Amino acid sequence: MSTSYHAAWSAPSNIAFIKYWGKYAGQIPANASLSMSLDACTTRTEVTAERMPFKDFPDINFTFEGEEKPDFLPKIEHFIRAILPEMPWLIECRLRISSSNTFPHSSGIASSASAFAALALCLTDIESQWNNSADKGRFFRTASHRARLGSGSAARSVFGGYTVWGKDKCVVGSNNGYAVPLDDPMDDDFARLSDHILLIDRGQKSVSSTAGHALMNNHPYAEARFQRASDNLHSMITAMRSGDQQRFFDLLEEEALGLHALMMSSQPNYILMRPNTLAAIERIRHARIVDHIPVGFTLDAGANVHVISLTEAKQTVDEFVKSELKSLCANDMYICDQMGTGPKSIT
Ligand code: PMV
């Protein structure tokens, strides 16, 4: 009779304020990054592992939103191969993985962070059942360490709130192998931020983030960038602790534009922003500088714009987004989100 194990987790997407761009072998980030985990944008994953002795690679069946997705399998197999050395028991398994997102598919929102975080949490959970051991203290750290091997930013989606991944002297305990929650007490203004995600372009990215990271090898500005990221991390945490809104938004926007500047100056160079990305940026800056609304923007590796604001101004920002930014989105679509509390086990 075969034994089977089951786990189900939901994990949040996250948006980086200090960007991770460039890495070394073994999925080691070139600089430390800081992100906010989201609340509404999550991936929910369920895994059943059935013990099937005498195999040399786990049998994997994967469904996404109820449908088999063979084109997703190579990424999952690549991930399983990467974690096999620390989870050798997987070889004896038949894995059934089913997954779904709370945000619209092909919305241009990166789903690899929440997807690999949810999968790593499920597999780490099954491992504790398999070994009949529950080291609760290390559970999330171990899951983060593994999630990182699927997608670097996934390391941060294993925690809620603000999270740092990558070793930097300004964050005690920070580490290249796994993310850590940023426990520093923040000024009340930064206890929780809102994120309105403008879906400017719902197409596939023309350059994958794997290819983008690789272009940081031999990038003419690489060393200056890695130093700047470390300085910005330190300055941003200081601004969030002291409640310095202006400094926070300056750094947030510098990081977003800096990320895209790296793409635009790599060889080959490429542009992921669209005309409406720039139009949104101008309107957001006008709202902050002229209308004094506490709002700023950040960008991921794509055309979409994350409108970051202080929660106290949420209603004003809701109205601003509806009246000035919604029309810049593909099919008028945007998502209202905010800082979330992290992954949840689904029973
Ligand atoms: O996790 P990856 O390999 O998809 O890289 C993510 C890179 C950015 O989203 C652009 C920045 C970040 O830190 O999340």
Side-chain angles (χ1 to χ4, degrees):
M1 201 179 69
S2 68
T3 319
S4 83
Y5 304 84
H6 176 261
W9 282 82
S10 82
S13 182
N14 71 73
I15 177 67
F17 293 170
I18 301 292
K19 310 293 181 182
Y20 145 61
W21 201 240
K23 61 180 168 184
Y24 306 122
Q27 202 72 333
I28 301 300
N31 62 267
S33 53
L34 161 65
S35 64
M36 177 174 85
S37 288
L38 298 178
D39 186 40
C41 291
T42 63
T43 297
R44 181 195 161 111
T45 296
E46 231 176 292
V47 178
T48 304
E50 204 181 334
R51 210 166 180 154
M52 306 281 295
F54 316 120
K55 299 190 63 65
D56 58 5
F57 190 75
D59 256 357
I60 304 171
N61 171 273
F62 177 72
T63 55
F64 183 73
E65 296 180 353
E67 283 178 30
E68 290 210 1
K69 292 276 180 193
D71 42 326
F72 287 17
L73 263 182
K75 271 197 170 178
I76 296 175
E77 284 175 358
H78 184 265
F79 172 61
I80 300 284
R81 253 178 243 289
I83 58 174
L84 261 185
E86 45 181 290
M87 301 181 102
W89 55 273
L90 276 171
I91 281 202
E92 294 177 44
C93 282
R94 172 182 287 163
L95 291 177
R96 268 182 289 129
I97 306 171
S98 61
S99 206
S100 58
N101 288 343
T102 53
F103 45 92
H105 188 45
S106 302
S107 57
I109 298 183
S111 59
S112 59
S114 51
F116 283 111
L119 183 54
L121 285 159
C122 287
L123 294 176
T124 306
D125 185 340
I126 288 175
E127 182 176 60
S128 342
Q129 300 171 35
W130 187 287
N131 295 331
N132 207 7
S133 72
D135 186 351
K136 287 212 169 101
R138 296 177 68 90
F139 177 80
F140 289 100
R141 179 196 289 192
T142 305
S144 171
H145 183 261
R146 290 164 180 170
R148 165 190 130 255
L149 298 171
S151 160
S153 54
R156 302 185 308 242
S157 275
V158 165
F159 299 99
Y162 300 116
T163 303
V164 170
W165 172 48
K167 188 167 173 50
D168 195 288
K169 58 184 181 315
C170 83
V171 180
V172 179
S174 61
N175 203 295
N176 287 335
Y178 51 85
V180 291
L182 186 62
D183 287 332
D184 299 43
M186 295 296 169
D187 181 86
D188 284 352
D189 279 348
F190 290 95
R192 164 175 281 197
L193 298 174
S194 299
D195 181 4
H196 291 73
I197 309 167
L198 309 180
L199 306 179
I200 302 281
D201 182 16
R202 302 189 62 186
Q204 283 278 334
K205 278 192 287 189
S206 55
V207 180
S208 71
S209 62
T210 307
H213 284 291
L215 291 175
M216 286 304 287
N217 299 328
N218 305 319
H219 192 292
Y221 306 140
E223 282 319 309
R225 159 62 194 159
F226 303 145
Q227 182 56 50
R228 186 75 182 162
S230 173
D231 295 345
N232 284 352
L233 176 68
H234 183 236
S235 303
M236 186 175 277
I237 294 173
T238 307
M240 291 168 85
R241 274 199 203 130
S242 64
D244 188 341
Q245 292 179 25
Q246 187 177 326
R247 184 88 180 110
F248 169 77
F249 286 124
D250 279 349
L251 290 162
L252 183 75
E253 297 183 352
E254 183 202 310
E255 278 289 311
L257 296 176
L259 170 70
H260 284 254
L262 291 167
M263 298 168 187
M264 291 192 279
S265 53
S266 61
Q267 289 170 335
N269 59 62
Y270 58 105
I271 304 176
L272 296 182
M273 289 187 281
R274 309 298 308 146
N276 280 357
T277 310
L278 295 177
I281 288 174
E282 281 185 358
R283 290 179 196 183
I284 293 164
R285 287 197 154 166
H286 187 274
R288 182 169 75 253
I289 294 160
V290 178
D291 303 327
H292 305 291
I293 301 175
V295 67
F297 70 85
T298 187
L299 306 168
D300 225 330
N304 294 338
V305 178
H306 290 250
V307 185
I308 305 296
S309 60
L310 301 190
T311 304
E312 64 167 53
K314 187 163 187 313
Q315 212 178 330
T316 317
V317 177
D318 278 343
E319 282 157 24
F320 162 61
V321 171
K322 253 188 229 142
S323 64
E324 304 245 6
L325 302 175
K326 182 177 156 186
S327 60
L328 300 172
C329 302
N331 303 321
D332 285 356
M333 270 194 64
Y334 67 93
I335 295 172
C336 282
D337 212 336
Q338 59 181 341
M339 180 199 261
T341 53
K344 289 177 187 62
S345 162
I346 307 160
T347 42

